[in-house]
Amino acid sequence: MSDYLVQFNNISKFFGKVIALKDVTMRLKKGEIMCLLGDNGAGKSTLIKTLAGVHKPDEGEIIFEDNKIVFDSPKDALDIGIGTVYQDLALVPLMSVTRNFFMGREPQKGIPFLKTFDVEKANKIAADRMGQIGIDVRDPSQAVGTMSGGERQCLAISRAIYFGAKVLVLDEPTSALGVHQASMVLKYIVKAASEGLAVILITHNVHHAYPVGNSFTVLNRGKSMGTFQKKDISREKLLSMMAGGEELDKLEVELQEMDRIHNKN
Ligand SMILES: Nc1ncnc2c1ncn2[C@@H]1O[C@H](COP(=O)(O)OP(=O)(O)O)[C@@H](O)[C@H]1O
Ligand SMILES: [Mg+2]
């Protein structure tokens, strides 16, 4: 048995002439939060879609619990315990909290062939699960659209965990949130990892990633700049790698120049 729950080994993905990923290797362990960092277009979404069974890699292999896996569909990935929460969350705002939690997988009651959706049980599970993360859903039949952005994100994560995720893949879970809401979501992610989940947290916000991540993989134009343990890398170094260092250094100089001019006046 290797130490790793999931391994991406030398993954490449091409869309026609576009090289979305080239020779990317990334590995993670149980209980680990790995942050996948990179600017827009770096290949982050493409990478996690290969793990979620949406795209087939053109090169390389994915190893899950020591077995090489090939997914024919996103359902295959879900079935082995890879839970992905996409940027749009796949929630239906006008449907209830409970309906969104179960999405067609509601508990049933009754005798065979006359089964009905067990509303009370479903409501209780949804409210309990949200309560465990400190979100008080007094009325689980309320529309999801009435929840805050952070609460909705937590609901989508909670749903993935409830349905058996071992690896939780989160695509920019904090990008649309303010500081308070983002910290609520980040705290929940840390809690989930402490209970043994492996988390891939995708973000272009180093300030959100750094406090919660154990390791960091930086993508730049489809290539991995490497994976770093937190003790081996600073927040500033990560920032500069993401943006392709030089540009940021230039920006820094320009900002200092502006400051200088400003202070003179
Ligand atoms: N389905 C697709 N067809 C063609 N090109 C794509 C497709 N998906 C992504 N790309 C291209 O692959 C590159 C990486 O995109 P993406 O993985 O979405 O980056 P990120 O999530 O880091 O912003 C971009 O150049 C993007 O235009
Ligand atoms: Mg993306």
Side-chain angles (χ1 to χ4, degrees):
M1 261 296 268
S2 86
D3 273 356
Y4 296 106
L5 184 59
V6 189
Q7 307 180 52
F8 282 90
N9 293 328
N10 310 97
I11 298 283
S12 299
K13 178 72 195 169
F14 313 111
F15 295 109
K17 282 189 183 145
V18 176
I19 302 170
L21 295 170
K22 184 64 195 166
D23 205 17
V24 173
T25 293
M26 183 173 94
R27 301 183 174 131
L28 90 156
K29 298 175 183 164
K30 255 185 98 184
E32 179 178 359
I33 300 179
M34 157 164 304
C35 300
L36 182 59
L37 296 161
D39 224 337
N40 281 333
K44 304 183 296 297
S45 293
T46 304
L47 184 56
I48 59 140
K49 282 180 186 165
T50 60
L51 182 60
V54 176
H55 295 317
K56 280 212 172 80
D58 292 307
E59 296 171 359
E61 57 180 19
I62 301 174
I63 312 281
F64 184 79
E65 292 180 328
D66 288 337
N67 298 310
K68 183 176 168 168
I69 46 172
V70 178
F71 296 130
D72 288 321
S73 77
K75 187 170 179 306
D76 291 350
L78 263 180
D79 286 346
I80 66 164
I82 296 172
T84 305
V85 177
Y86 291 104
Q87 267 167 304
D88 65 8
L89 294 183
L91 296 180
V92 185
L94 290 176
M95 269 173 28
S96 73
V97 172
T98 301
R99 282 283 183 183
N100 272 287
F101 195 92
F102 288 97
M103 280 293 186
R105 293 171 291 190
E106 283 86 355
Q108 311 268 306
K109 64 178 178 187
I111 52 170
F113 304 110
L114 276 174
K115 285 192 182 306
T116 54
F117 167 31
D118 190 342
V119 184
E120 287 94 65
K121 187 172 176 192
N123 280 342
K124 184 165 173 359
I125 293 171
D128 281 354
R129 286 280 164 157
M130 297 306 284
Q132 281 168 20
I133 47 180
I135 298 170
D136 180 18
V137 184
R138 257 155 294 166
D139 175 12
S141 65
Q142 80 190 57
V144 150
T146 62
M147 296 175 103
S148 72
E151 288 172 343
R152 276 186 244 182
Q153 186 66 239
C154 287
L155 187 150
I157 296 171
S158 177
R159 173 173 76 184
I161 296 172
Y162 180 78
F163 285 102
K166 295 179 187 170
V167 182
L168 190 58
V169 186
L170 308 172
D171 198 0
E172 302 272 5
T174 58
S175 68
L177 305 177
V179 178
H180 177 74
Q181 300 270 307
S183 84
M184 167 170 116
V185 174
L186 291 170
K187 267 191 218 147
Y188 182 28
I189 294 169
V190 170
K191 179 171 176 276
S194 74
E195 287 164 6
L197 254 86
V199 180
I200 301 179
L201 171 61
I202 294 150
T203 177
H204 61 265
N205 190 327
V206 177
H207 304 294
H208 289 175
Y210 200 76
V212 301
N214 304 117
S215 60
F216 305 89
T217 297
V218 183
L219 283 187
N220 191 317
R221 297 181 192 184
K223 294 205 176 108
S224 171
M225 315 282 287
T227 297
F228 308 89
Q229 298 303 309
K230 190 184 234 147
K231 64 176 170 32
D232 299 326
I233 196 152
S234 69
R235 198 187 289 233
E236 291 68 34
K237 182 76 188 139
L238 281 173
L239 259 174
S240 102
M241 271 199 291
M242 273 171 69
E246 284 160 35
E247 280 163 48
L248 258 194
D249 289 345
K250 254 194 261 162
L251 178 67
E252 184 83 356
V253 171
E254 277 168 31
L255 287 175
Q256 279 169 6
E257 179 73 2
M258 275 165 65
D259 261 0
R260 209 171 52 79
I261 294 167
H262 190 74
N263 290 334
K264 253 192 207 165
N265 296 330

